[in-house]
Every structure is written in C-alpha cells, then in structure tokens.
Amino acid sequence: MTLRVLDPTFEEGAAGFTPAPRLAGLEGATVGIISNGKKGTAPFFAHLAGLLRSRHGAAEVVVRVKRSFSAPAEAALMDEAAQWSAAIAGVGD
C-alpha cells in the first residue's frame, strides 16, 4: 500500500509575504471580522464586536461573511479588508 502525503503550504507568493506592522492598540481603529458563515459564528462575532468597542475602543467593527466557508475570501472582500486597521478571520460550526 502506498501512502501519499500532501503538502498544505501555499505556493504562490509566500516568499515575498511581509506581515503588517503591529498596532499599538485598537483605540479609534476600524476592525474587520471575516466569518466563514457557519452556524454559531453570528452570536460569537456580535459579542466580540461589542468587546472590541467597549474594552478596546475600536471606532468601528465591520463584520463580513464569506460566500463559501470552504473557499478563500472573494477579491472584493479582500479589497475592503485592505482598508481596515486590523482584521480577524474566524471559523465556527
């Protein structure tokens, strides 16, 4: 029996990736939450949005849901996310 092992790493552009600089805080920031849309994410992210505002001073929290839980976020969503100060991607079931 042959066992085939797959490499899950992303091949395109990984070498040129540079993380964004760390924020000093979220006070006055726009924070985006990208949900996979699965059951249970809506109440969790609603609560998280409230905490980001009340405890961390975020000026705005934007919640967006991907069209498909199993696919990467669509280009328009990623373009919007580029305008946010910080982004949180989350999954749920």
Side-chain angles (χ1 to χ4, degrees), residues 2 14 18 24-25 27 30 37-38 42 52 56-57 60 63-64 71 80 90-92:
T2 301
T18 303
E27 187 73 36
T30 297
K38 285 192 162 187
L52 290 168
H56 300 283
E60 182 179 6
V63 180
R64 297 290 183 259
E80 180 182 0
V91 299

Side-chain angles (χ1 to χ4, degrees), residues 14-79:
F17 177 77
T18 303
R22 183 178 291 261
L23 297 175
L26 297 177
E27 187 73 36
T30 297
V31 179
I33 298 173
I34 301 174
S35 170
N36 71 350
K38 285 192 162 187
K39 182 180 178 182
T41 58
F44 175 78
F45 287 136
H47 181 70
L48 177 60
L51 292 174
L52 290 168
R53 288 184 193 99
S54 65
R55 291 190 184 177
H56 300 283
E60 182 179 6
V61 179
V62 178
V63 180
R64 297 290 183 259
V65 180
K66 296 188 325 168
R67 288 187 192 141
S68 171
F69 65 85
S70 63
E74 46 277 1
L77 178 53
M78 295 308 295
D79 289 343

